[in-house]
Amino acid sequence: MDRAGQYEDLRAEIESVVAGETYIPARYASAASLLWQAFSPRFFWTGFYVVDPLKPSELVVGPYQGTLGCLRIPFGKGVCGAAAQSQETLIVPDVHAFPGHIACDSRTNSEIVVPVFDAAGQLAAILDVDSEQPDAFDEIDRLGLEAICRRLLTA
Ligand code: SME
């Protein structure tokens, strides 16, 4: 199966696993697990930074698969913080060339980050996928991950 088809299957699987679940971290944890299982080792760190309800201009680490992640990322800092500010997907082929990149693990060479919105259209989290491979992510990843994130909190 091609990668677009893999993403479509994963989207359906994640939706059926989380359908009706009211505890939001369970949704994030299930998506992180299934994504990492499907695409590891290309997906090295795979998880969510959630908007802190007590400090709405800061992200705090949520469920993930991988090595220890930084706990907090202010909006505007690093790749996740930039995506939280712009509320748009970012593909970074070389993180070492990204101004202000936060290196939680020096093995990361490229990444993709995708915003997750709640049912009211408010930014709830950032999906962060980091890879040891340079230039690991393309438009297929963008479309596949955006489709998963679009339904993650509303399925
Ligand atoms: N890649 C992120 C930092 C988080 S970790 O690497 C897990 C960033 O630059 O925003």
Side-chain angles (χ1 to χ4, degrees):
M1 195 196 303
D2 65 5
R3 235 168 351 112
Q6 246 181 309
Y7 271 118
E8 181 47 30
D9 283 3
L10 264 173
R11 186 198 55 73
E13 189 182 2
I14 291 169
E15 271 187 49
S16 85
V17 168
V18 305
E21 176 53 58
T22 53
Y23 185 63
I24 301 300
R27 291 175 174 261
Y28 293 138
S30 304
S33 171
L34 289 170
L35 282 167
W36 183 81
Q37 265 190 77
F39 293 119
S40 170
R42 184 168 66 98
F43 282 25
F44 172 61
W45 197 97
T46 306
F48 294 87
Y49 277 92
V50 302
V51 178
D52 184 346
L54 301 176
K55 280 191 189 168
S57 61
E58 210 163 281
L59 299 165
V60 59
V61 76
Y64 64 92
Q65 299 278 323
T67 54
L68 184 68
C70 319
L71 265 61
R72 289 184 174 270
I73 301 177
F75 277 35
K77 286 210 63 183
V79 182
C80 292
Q85 205 157 54
S86 68
Q87 306 203 351
E88 280 172 3
T89 299
L90 265 177
I91 293 176
V92 180
D94 175 7
V95 296
H96 309 291
F98 189 91
H101 169 249
I102 301 164
C104 295
D105 191 310
S106 57
R107 282 169 288 185
T108 293
N109 283 308
S110 64
E111 64 181 87
I112 181 168
V113 295
V114 180
V116 180
F117 299 98
D118 63 20
Q122 294 295 307
L123 180 74
I126 298 292
L127 167 63
D128 176 11
V129 183
D130 302 339
S131 184
E132 293 177 279
Q133 299 169 24
D135 199 10
F137 304 104
D138 61 14
E139 285 303 305
I140 296 171
D141 297 300
R142 175 204 293 272
L143 292 172
L145 294 173
E146 284 180 348
I148 288 167
C149 288
R150 209 174 294 130
R151 298 284 290 138
L152 189 56
L153 298 184
T154 55

